Amino acid sequence: MASAISVIMMILIGLVGGVPTLAITACIPVMIVWKIYRKVKFGYSIYR
């Protein structure tokens, strides 16, 4: 029984750490592309 609880805890910890990591990894390139698009299309500053 203790082994099953350990496996469940490892899965939960992996999800809690993995989901935000994947979200940040996906969002950073999207934000960079979006800022470059706005700079080219509208002339907005990249830094805001």
Side-chain angles (χ1 to χ4, degrees):
M1 187 65 177
S3 177
I5 293 173
S6 295
V7 170
I8 291 171
M9 289 300 293
M10 285 193 300
I11 290 171
L12 287 175
I13 291 170
L15 287 174
V16 168
V19 171
T21 301
L22 290 175
I24 291 169
T25 303
C27 288
I28 289 174
V30 170
M31 289 302 297
I32 292 171
V33 170
W34 176 247
K35 285 182 174 286
I36 292 171
Y37 169 75
R38 286 181 24 168
K39 175 67 175 176
V40 170
K41 177 101 175 168
F42 303 111
Y44 293 156
S45 173
I46 292 176
Y47 303 108
R48 293 188 185 207

